[in-house]
Amino acid sequence: MYSYLGLFLCILFVCCSATPLSLIGSRRSILREVRDNDKNGHPDYAVELNATNFDDVLKDTPSTYAVVEFFAHWCPACRNYKPHYEKVARLFNGPDAVHPGFILMTRVDCASKINNKLCDKFSVGHYPMLFWGHPPKFVGGSWEPDQKKSDIHVIKDAYTADRLLNWINKQLGSSFGLDDQKFENEHLSSNISDPGQIAKAIYDVEEATSTAFDIILDHKMIKPETRTSLIKFLQLLVAHHPSRRCRKGSAELLVSFDDLYPTDFWSTNEHEVDKGSVSNLKICGKDVPRGYWMFCRGSKNDTRGFSCGLWVLLHSLSVKIEDGESQFAFNATCDFVHNFFICEECRQHFYEMCSSVSITFNKARDYALWLWSTHNKVNERLSKEEASLGTGDPKFPKIIWPPKQLCPSCYLGHDHKNNKIEWEQDEVYKFLTNYYGKTLASLYKDKKIVGNDEADRAVKDLIVEASNAIVVPLGAALAIAVASCAFGGLAYYWRSQQKNRKYFHHLHSLKNI
């Protein structure tokens, strides 16, 4: 009877999945270099789309603009144009892109029958035909030659790589060049002068989260003494991560954590995790990490990036917690950095600052301001070291945050004698909650992929409060799975039926977690 029930639920879960299996197989990652090479041995940087993945890829891309080339594989002019198109595409596409995050370069083969309707929607009358616009405008969109106003534009006079790039430069007011090399470009958007740039950091927060967990798994950093701190941090991510797909992935990892790393895992001689199970747990989705940074991109290869993304993640968590979670968030963050941040000197400095705190955080405001102050202390220390060694990023020097041009009301005065800033902390907290909270999430809200607010509120209620910080991975994780139907309610039901007996017989073991 149970086997039939399990089979029925599995079939039902597959049928109700938001993404059909056919689409999963056909959707191509927009951030991974295409492995197919042309006859000259050069990689294809332009992403080839078709009717099954066109909307999905353009909806999910972090790029600000998109170019779509409609072509036919049998067309001699298209074959001759491809090398020109690829010269431009290599600047913007793939993990080695010179200018990542700006433009997604794509191609659609109209000679393929599957694309007939798609090409008709865009009134493709000759090959090759190129279109330009913001990616979401292509989703479910169309184009007619007699349209007076359209958010999608035809690119004309782009028959060579030079002409295409010149057309793009005129649109953006940029100075991209075909000879640009990685990390030597001048087209860098400053996160200081344009506060709206923080919206793009949502992708860097996902990148940093995924990279952090890849490091943890690759270096086998989950041990008896670090197990609890990782569970706490996962609970924090499930409730407050600004990315819905990272919340979902964190919940899935939390549900499976006791199976992957049971409390007696290290007491046996054969403590080896099923590598297949671990590799399938992509904490922010199968396309992350992408291999590049947007908001946190430095002007040099070895600056900013991961550390910047991790700081943005921590700040975004700090402004989302509620008063009852503030001490829990403080402990979870300090323990996570101490146990899992790979830079030894950095984590020791951070943990020393954590250890110097003698108060209990009762208000979310106090914890957010402590983290802000701590970050400024780190920047102050590193700016002196980088200045003496010449290792800083000239385009992104370490500064006291926020600068006056972003938040003039945050500044009360400046003690020049002691070089100390007098802060209006209420204004600072207001700035932090807006910058790392509302503005950071704005891009996701625009794309309508933030998630179900009701489910998110239910998940938040299940996170352990600081007053009794007892970590219960199984119970909390299962409750999280129940509360967030979008995270797989049917999967939870199946798992609970299989494991209920185990949970009730092992409740006493939770005291040791």
Side-chain angles (χ1 to χ4, degrees):
M1 174 180 176
Y2 289 108
S3 62
Y4 288 113
L5 178 61
L7 178 61
F8 171 75
L9 288 172
C10 288
I11 295 173
L12 183 62
F13 182 72
V14 170
C15 293
C16 294
S17 176
T19 305
L21 291 178
S22 60
L23 287 185
I24 294 175
S26 62
R27 186 182 300 171
R28 171 176 272 161
S29 170
I30 63 174
L31 305 156
R32 193 177 298 117
E33 183 178 327
V34 180
R35 299 189 181 277
D36 297 333
N37 291 344
D38 62 22
K39 61 183 179 181
N40 296 319
H42 301 297
D44 287 345
Y45 294 101
V47 179
E48 192 157 321
L49 303 178
N50 57 52
T52 65
N53 63 9
F54 185 85
D55 284 354
D56 291 305
V57 170
L58 289 164
K59 178 178 64 177
D60 290 340
T61 177
S63 297
T64 308
Y65 298 94
V67 175
V68 180
E69 178 202 2
F70 290 96
F71 73 102
H73 64 262
W74 49 259
C75 167
C78 297
R79 289 198 297 268
N80 293 335
Y81 183 66
K82 182 180 178 182
H84 292 278
Y85 193 70
E86 290 293 337
K87 280 184 181 180
V88 178
R90 72 103 189 166
L91 298 174
F92 305 105
N93 285 16
D96 296 321
V98 184
H99 306 284
F102 286 102
I103 304 169
L104 175 67
M105 305 285 291
T106 67
R107 307 176 81 228
V108 176
D109 185 1
C110 291
S112 176
K113 288 185 178 180
I114 195 174
N115 297 325
N116 285 351
K117 291 183 179 179
L118 178 60
C119 296
D120 287 344
K121 285 175 63 178
F122 288 89
S123 305
V124 178
H126 61 270
Y127 303 127
M129 191 171 182
L130 276 65
F131 291 87
W132 166 272
H134 295 291
K137 300 300 181 181
F138 286 96
V139 178
S142 61
W143 181 84
E144 295 290 341
D146 56 353
Q147 278 182 275
K148 292 183 178 180
K149 291 185 178 181
S150 176
D151 294 317
I152 299 173
H153 306 281
V154 175
I155 302 177
K156 298 180 180 178
D157 191 22
Y159 300 113
T160 65
D162 284 314
R163 288 186 176 185
L164 174 57
L165 195 56
N166 286 339
W167 191 95
I168 291 173
N169 282 332
K170 287 180 180 178
Q171 293 294 311
L172 300 181
S174 54
S175 56
F176 298 130
L178 292 176
D179 296 328
D180 288 354
Q181 298 299 315
K182 194 172 184 181
F183 302 112
E184 294 180 3
N185 63 86
E186 297 180 356
H187 192 96
L188 289 168
S189 297
S190 172
N191 61 324
I192 297 175
S193 61
D194 182 8
Q197 287 293 316
I198 188 64
K200 290 185 178 181
I202 192 74
Y203 298 104
D204 290 354
V205 170
E206 292 177 336
E207 191 80 2
T209 304
S210 184
T211 300
F213 277 85
D214 283 347
I215 291 172
I216 290 171
L217 295 176
D218 291 343
H219 289 79
K220 299 182 179 179
M221 302 173 77
I222 304 176
K223 301 174 182 178
E225 62 270 22
T226 63
R227 181 179 186 273
T228 298
S229 64
L230 183 58
I231 292 171
K232 287 182 180 180
F233 196 70
L234 281 170
Q235 289 177 324
L236 197 59
L237 297 186
V238 170
H240 300 299
H241 200 292
S243 163
R244 181 180 181 274
R245 51 188 159 200
C246 292
R247 293 199 300 274
K248 177 179 182 292
S250 299
E252 291 171 348
L253 179 55
L254 199 54
V255 168
S256 304
F257 197 89
D258 199 64
D259 288 335
L260 294 171
Y261 298 97
T263 52
D264 60 349
F265 177 75
W266 295 269
S267 61
T268 62
N269 293 327
E270 299 179 359
H271 48 271
E272 185 68 30
V273 180
D274 182 357
K275 294 181 179 179
S277 300
V278 172
S279 63
N280 289 332
L281 290 172
K282 297 294 185 181
I283 197 164
C284 291
K286 62 184 180 64
D287 288 333
V288 184
R290 306 172 178 88
Y292 67 79
W293 305 93
M294 294 179 65
F295 175 82
C296 287
R297 175 175 166 77
S299 63
K300 297 195 296 185
N301 194 10
D302 55 352
T303 59
R304 307 188 81 215
F306 175 60
S307 59
C308 167
L310 194 58
W311 272 117
V312 178
L313 169 62
L314 297 181
H315 285 299
S316 71
L317 295 173
S318 75
V319 299
K320 290 177 180 295
I321 62 170
E322 298 176 359
D323 288 345
E325 303 169 294
S326 52
Q327 185 65 32
F328 175 82
F330 168 75
N331 292 334
T333 300
C334 288
D335 290 344
F336 179 80
V337 173
H338 181 62
N339 289 314
F340 299 109
F341 195 62
I342 203 70
C343 172
E344 179 66 22
E345 182 181 357
C346 301
R347 67 178 180 178
Q348 286 301 328
H349 277 294
F350 190 86
Y351 203 70
E352 285 172 10
M353 290 186 286
C354 289
S355 302
S356 67
V357 176
S358 58
I359 62 170
T360 299
F361 291 106
N362 296 317
K363 298 289 184 181
R365 171 188 179 277
D366 296 336
Y367 170 61
L369 288 174
W370 173 85
L371 186 66
W372 158 76
S373 177
T374 298
H375 193 176
N376 273 338
K377 290 176 182 177
V378 171
N379 279 353
E380 190 174 9
R381 176 177 60 84
L382 291 178
S383 65
K384 294 177 181 178
E385 294 180 6
E386 291 176 352
S388 63
L389 298 172
T391 56
D393 190 324
K395 292 186 180 292
F396 298 94
K398 296 288 190 299
I399 62 172
I400 299 301
W401 189 262
K404 203 166 188 177
Q405 58 264 46
L406 276 190
C407 185
S409 61
C410 294
Y411 288 71
L412 285 175
H414 194 166
D415 182 353
H416 294 283
K417 182 178 180 180
N418 298 310
N419 195 26
K420 296 292 183 183
I421 298 172
E422 296 178 35
W423 297 98
E424 173 52 74
Q425 294 202 347
D426 287 338
E427 290 297 313
V428 172
Y429 181 61
K430 187 187 299 183
F431 170 83
L432 294 173
T433 54
N434 183 66
Y435 193 79
Y436 291 107
K438 297 176 183 177
T439 311
L440 179 63
S442 65
L443 190 61
Y444 260 29
K445 288 181 179 178
D446 290 343
K447 291 193 172 192
K448 298 180 180 179
I449 52 177
V450 178
N452 185 290
D453 290 338
E454 184 177 345
D456 288 343
R457 284 195 297 271
V459 171
K460 289 180 184 179
D461 293 339
L462 296 167
I463 298 302
V464 183
E465 293 188 359
S467 57
N468 53 340
I470 308 295
V471 182
V472 187
L474 292 175
L478 287 174
I480 289 167
V482 171
S484 182
C485 297
F487 293 172
L490 289 175
Y492 158 71
Y493 179 77
W494 179 81
R495 284 180 59 82
S496 65
Q497 293 299 310
Q498 299 295 314
K499 299 180 69 178
N500 267 344
R501 184 168 301 173
K502 172 186 172 183
Y503 297 156
F504 287 118
H505 282 116
H506 290 79
L507 282 176
H508 67 278
S509 67
L510 299 178
K511 298 178 181 179
N512 299 322
I513 296 175

